[in-house]
């Protein structure tokens, strides 16, 4: 499992390095997961140990939202000043999705 977590985080690191090197506007972890996806497509299957590592991350996913929630509360005054543009952006991005 440790090897597969290392693989996941290495893909994220490579994605971040590519983004920083080429100045792309895509988040590094998103590009890294795309690289992992392409690698798995080329391989043709997902190793069971990678599935177990991913399940472990997903089972604790709610813990990863704590820092984001703290950030929202920390910047509540800024969000209250910019509520209209944020609401419009959320509304239209929901429609596009």
């Amino acid at each position: 499992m440790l090897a597969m977590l290392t693989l996941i985080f290495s893909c994220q690191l490579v994605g971040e390095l590519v983004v920083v090197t080429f100045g792309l506007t895509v988040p590094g972890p998103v590009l890294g997961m795309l690289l992992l996806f392409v690698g798995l497509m080329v391989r043709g299957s997902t190793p069971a140990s990678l599935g177990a590592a991913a399940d472990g991350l997903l089972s604790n996913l709610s813990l990863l939202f704590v820092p984001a929630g703290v950030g929202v509360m920390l910047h509540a005054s800024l969000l209250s000043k910019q509520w209209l543009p944020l609401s419009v952006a959320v509304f239209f991005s929901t429609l596009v999705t």
Side-chain angles (χ1 to χ4, degrees):
M1 185 161 155
L2 184 58
M4 291 301 131
L5 285 174
T6 303
L7 174 66
I8 292 170
F9 293 135
S10 296
C11 287
Q12 285 189 334
L13 177 62
V14 169
E16 192 67 39
L17 290 173
V18 169
V19 165
V20 169
T21 302
F22 295 108
L24 303 174
T25 58
V26 177
V30 172
L31 185 59
M33 290 300 101
L34 181 63
L35 292 172
L36 179 62
F37 176 72
V38 169
L40 291 173
M41 292 298 293
V42 168
R43 186 175 191 271
S45 66
T46 303
S49 56
L50 181 61
D55 287 340
L57 285 172
L58 287 174
S59 67
N60 295 303
L61 188 62
S62 60
L63 294 175
L64 300 176
F65 287 106
V66 171
V70 170
V72 167
M73 295 308 295
L74 183 65
H75 297 290
S77 63
L78 179 62
L79 293 173
S80 67
K81 292 177 187 174
Q82 299 293 328
W83 68 271
L84 182 60
L86 288 170
S87 299
V88 169
V90 168
F91 177 76
F92 284 111
S93 65
T94 301
L95 286 179
V96 169
T97 301

